[in-house]
Amino acid sequence: MEDWQIIDLYFKRDEAAISETDKKYGGFCRGVAINILSSDEDAKECVNDTWFQAWNAIPPQRPDKLGAWLGRVVRNIAINLWNKNRRKKRYAGMEQLLKELEDCIPSSKTVEHEIEEKELTEVLNTWLASLSKNDRILFMRRYWNGEMLNNLAKEYGATPGKLAKRMYKLRQNLKSMLEKEGYSL
């Protein structure tokens, strides 16, 4: 079923919208949640919360790209749950992702946080656009979707070590560009 048809089901308040959303985007959303949380049970809870949030938000919202919208929702829900449970030291997956990126992204603890955040978003988008399509997809799959390096390596036909070097070079490239733009790291 096409996205616009699924969205129309939401607008009609037809419960089939949930099952059609799950058919088309369930695996993707579960993958995003499991990559962040490293727990099947918590990932399922996040996906269910995502369907609930979609039901409550559509209408009035009409997402242009339903998959990307759902991905952002499930990612935010999973990160919120991860933060809630972080004190319990339950999730290693997100800790590893943040550790890899910590020397690339500047701290946001300033008075001008909101303005800097918008500027940083612009700089990151420009940097991502400058990458090859493969590198951009790889970077986003690793650091936005939280996919495991070993799984990506298999898919890309590379060893985990070789892919780790590639990711390191991408992070160093990002760091250099941010420093050039005046962000202190």
Side-chain angles (χ1 to χ4, degrees):
M1 185 174 273
E2 297 296 320
D3 287 356
W4 67 268
Q5 294 170 308
I6 296 171
I7 292 170
D8 283 347
L9 291 174
Y10 280 105
F11 270 82
K12 292 175 186 171
R13 305 314 284 163
D14 186 337
E15 292 182 12
I18 301 295
S19 61
E20 292 297 329
T21 303
D22 190 56
K23 274 187 218 173
K24 188 165 184 180
Y25 293 109
F28 166 69
C29 289
R30 278 185 281 285
V32 170
I34 196 82
N35 288 337
I36 293 169
L37 299 170
S38 304
S39 164
D40 287 328
E41 187 176 309
D42 288 343
K44 288 177 188 174
E45 180 184 330
C46 287
V47 170
N48 287 335
D49 289 348
T50 300
W51 301 161
F52 180 73
Q53 190 165 335
W55 183 261
N56 288 330
I58 307 170
Q61 292 185 37
R62 185 178 285 275
D64 291 330
K65 298 190 184 308
L66 184 60
W69 186 86
L70 291 167
R72 187 184 77 233
V73 170
V74 73
R75 184 176 187 276
N76 289 340
I77 290 170
I79 288 172
N80 287 341
L81 182 58
W82 178 80
N83 282 329
K84 177 181 167 190
N85 292 320
R86 183 176 169 187
R87 292 176 288 272
K88 298 176 188 176
K89 302 286 185 197
R90 288 180 57 190
Y91 305 123
M94 192 63 170
E95 284 287 343
Q96 179 62 33
L97 291 175
L98 292 174
K99 188 172 184 78
E100 289 178 17
L101 282 174
E102 72 184 5
D103 64 338
C104 297
I105 305 296
S107 173
S108 61
K109 297 177 183 167
T110 66
V111 178
E112 303 87 11
H113 169 70
E114 197 167 317
I115 294 169
E116 286 182 3
E117 187 176 278
K118 288 179 183 176
E119 290 173 353
L120 179 59
T121 300
E122 181 81 21
V123 169
L124 289 172
N125 285 336
T126 301
W127 177 76
L128 284 168
S130 75
L131 298 177
S132 70
K133 182 178 180 181
N134 285 338
D135 281 346
R136 182 173 51 251
I137 291 170
L138 179 64
F139 190 87
M140 294 301 292
R141 287 181 66 185
R142 176 72 177 132
Y143 295 113
W144 180 262
N145 294 354
E147 294 184 37
M148 300 296 295
L149 199 57
N150 288 341
N151 296 341
L152 289 170
K154 286 178 191 172
E155 190 174 324
Y156 279 78
T159 65
K162 184 176 180 181
L163 198 58
K165 285 181 184 177
R166 186 171 170 189
M167 297 308 299
Y168 176 77
K169 287 179 181 179
L170 286 171
R171 289 192 311 271
Q172 290 303 307
N173 181 290
L174 172 59
K175 183 178 179 180
S176 295
M177 194 273 306
L178 288 171
E179 288 173 342
K180 188 172 112 183
E181 291 293 323
Y183 289 92
S184 59
L185 306 175

